[in-house]
Amino acid sequence: MDRISWDQYFMAQSHLLALRSTCTRLTVGATIVRDNRIIAGGYNGSIAGGTHCIDDGCYVIDGHCVRTVHAEMNALLQCAKFGVPTAGAEIYVTHFPCLQCCKSIIQAGIRAVYYAADYKNHPYAEELFRQAGVHTEKVPYQQVLDAHGQEKLDFVSSLLSRMSDAGVKAEEIEKMREEAEELFIRRK
């Protein structure tokens, strides 16, 4: 069995954290790492003990939910709360950080930002990261949490081949193949 890369390991952790999000607009997870060790994690959600978006809906002002604390901020605040230094660390985030999180990441001394998906990438955030010498890199997340995903995909491919041999129309087979790829390969 091949081991997953460090990037995929930490990105998987961020996607797992995102499953705890209480915002209904976008679920985000963030993992702060130093020396290949996880030092903090966060997801976007309301303040501790506060009203959650999943309970009362998002509180949107100027197109942005203000009810939630962003995943990156929650991870940074966890470090602050427990006295864990962030200088020289890296952060893995499910989505490109917003402008405010960008500034906080820079001020915390994070040296690299790895993100799985573009999300309203603000040009000024990109510029600030460059100015501060913070390395940014898109690391598309490869679903690694399903240990039998390849076996399932192979099984579906076998079924599609049998259906083709049985005379099912090529267009239908291709549509099902695309749906299977979306489900097993491209799904994030």
Side-chain angles (χ1 to χ4, degrees), residues 45-56:
S46 300
I47 61 169
T51 302
H52 296 281
C53 298
I54 57 174
D55 299 325
D56 273 0

Side-chain angles (χ1 to χ4, degrees), residues 155 157-167:
F155 177 72
S157 293
S158 171
L159 289 176
L160 292 174
S161 292
R162 288 187 211 163
M163 291 173 68
S164 179
D165 293 344

